[in-house]
Amino acid sequence: LSIQKFKAIIDYKDSKEYVEKADLEIKKVIYKKAKAYLVYNNIENYKEAANLFGTICDYEDSKELLENCNERIKDLTYIKAMNLMGQKTNESYKQAIALFKTIIGYKDSAKNVTLCEEGITNLARQSDYDEAVRYKNNRQYERAIETFKKISFYKDADQQIRLCYELIEKEKQEKYNEILRKRTLELKQKRAKRRKVILIILLISLIPAVFIV
């Protein structure tokens, strides 16, 4: 408010000098506050410092410190994004992408965005692959084939599809063999029963002959 009053009466004796002094004092306060943020080595504090230095670029080395803050922000953002990328989870990849996109042009950030997107895709494919394997292990071959087809060319998905078809045929053959075995057994049992009946009839037919003799 005092500065505004001084500026309003700039032609008045010594008012310009007082305005300049007031501006200088304000810049000193801002500069000191901005440098205090530099003590804390984290992104948010560097951003606060950069915002303050940006308002006093003509004061001492504020412009240089602003540039240093911006570089440090990029560096710390890059490190944080790389750490998230290294966790290799769906959520960490998404967070890493968001960070890398704020520093596109810094180091290999653009390339890493692509790598994270590929990571998300691969996680989804791996999830489908694991589900398909569970179906196969539970002998749900049709569902396994359907799921493997969603991720054709991923790992050995195509090979697994062929294997599932082979297992389906093998299962059909096993069922056919089991039916054949049961029918063969039933036929043997019927024949044995028939022979037994015939034997009994023969024995009964021989009984009168024995008494006659």
Side-chain angles (χ1 to χ4, degrees), residues 174-207:
E174 288 175 350
K175 288 180 179 179
Y176 173 79
N177 291 340
E178 180 63 19
I179 292 171
L180 187 62
R181 186 189 68 79
K182 287 181 178 179
R183 286 181 178 177
T184 302
L185 180 60
E186 288 173 359
L187 184 59
K188 286 181 179 180
Q189 290 172 342
K190 285 180 180 180
R191 286 175 179 174
K193 186 176 182 180
R194 188 179 296 116
R195 284 195 297 268
K196 185 177 180 181
V197 170
I198 292 172
L199 181 60
I200 291 172
I201 292 172
L202 285 172
L203 289 172
I204 292 173
S205 66
L206 290 173
I207 291 174

Side-chain angles (χ1 to χ4, degrees), residues 122-133:
N122 286 333
L123 283 176
R125 287 172 177 168
Q126 185 61 49
S127 178
D128 286 336
Y129 183 90
D130 293 340
E131 182 179 39
V133 169

Side-chain angles (χ1 to χ4, degrees), residues 141-142 145 163-172:
Y141 301 122
E142 295 293 344
I145 290 170
L163 178 59
C164 285
Y165 279 122
E166 290 173 4
L167 290 170
I168 288 172
E169 291 304 314
K170 182 181 178 181
E171 195 173 71
K172 286 180 180 178

Side-chain angles (χ1 to χ4, degrees), residues 56-71:
I56 54 170
C57 287
D58 60 341
Y59 181 76
E60 294 192 4
D61 58 347
S62 294
K63 186 176 180 180
E64 180 182 347
L65 290 174
L66 171 61
E67 292 173 356
N68 291 341
C69 284
N70 287 333
E71 283 301 308

Side-chain angles (χ1 to χ4, degrees), residues 42-128:
N42 61 64
I43 296 172
E44 292 306 316
N45 281 287
Y46 276 112
K47 285 183 177 180
E48 290 290 345
N51 288 334
L52 291 173
F53 284 128
T55 65
I56 54 170
C57 287
D58 60 341
Y59 181 76
E60 294 192 4
D61 58 347
S62 294
K63 186 176 180 180
E64 180 182 347
L65 290 174
L66 171 61
E67 292 173 356
N68 291 341
C69 284
N70 287 333
E71 283 301 308
R72 191 61 183 146
I73 290 168
K74 292 177 183 178
D75 190 41
L76 290 175
T77 300
Y78 181 86
I79 292 171
K80 184 176 181 180
M82 287 296 291
N83 288 335
L84 287 166
M85 183 178 173
Q87 294 176 22
K88 297 181 180 180
T89 66
N90 195 62
E91 187 58 33
S92 67
Y93 276 133
K94 288 180 180 179
Q95 292 177 12
I97 288 171
L99 289 174
F100 281 128
K101 284 185 175 181
T102 66
I103 52 172
I104 291 295
Y106 182 75
K107 292 185 177 181
D108 56 351
S109 294
K111 178 183 176 182
N112 287 334
V113 168
T114 301
L115 291 176
C116 287
E117 290 171 344
E118 290 175 354
I120 291 173
T121 300
N122 286 333
L123 283 176
R125 287 172 177 168
Q126 185 61 49
S127 178
D128 286 336

Side-chain angles (χ1 to χ4, degrees), residues 136 148 152-166:
K136 190 190 77 171
F148 276 127
S152 183
F153 303 114
Y154 179 72
K155 289 188 174 181
D156 61 344
D158 292 331
Q159 181 181 341
Q160 291 290 339
I161 290 171
R162 290 192 294 272
L163 178 59
C164 285
Y165 279 122
E166 290 173 4

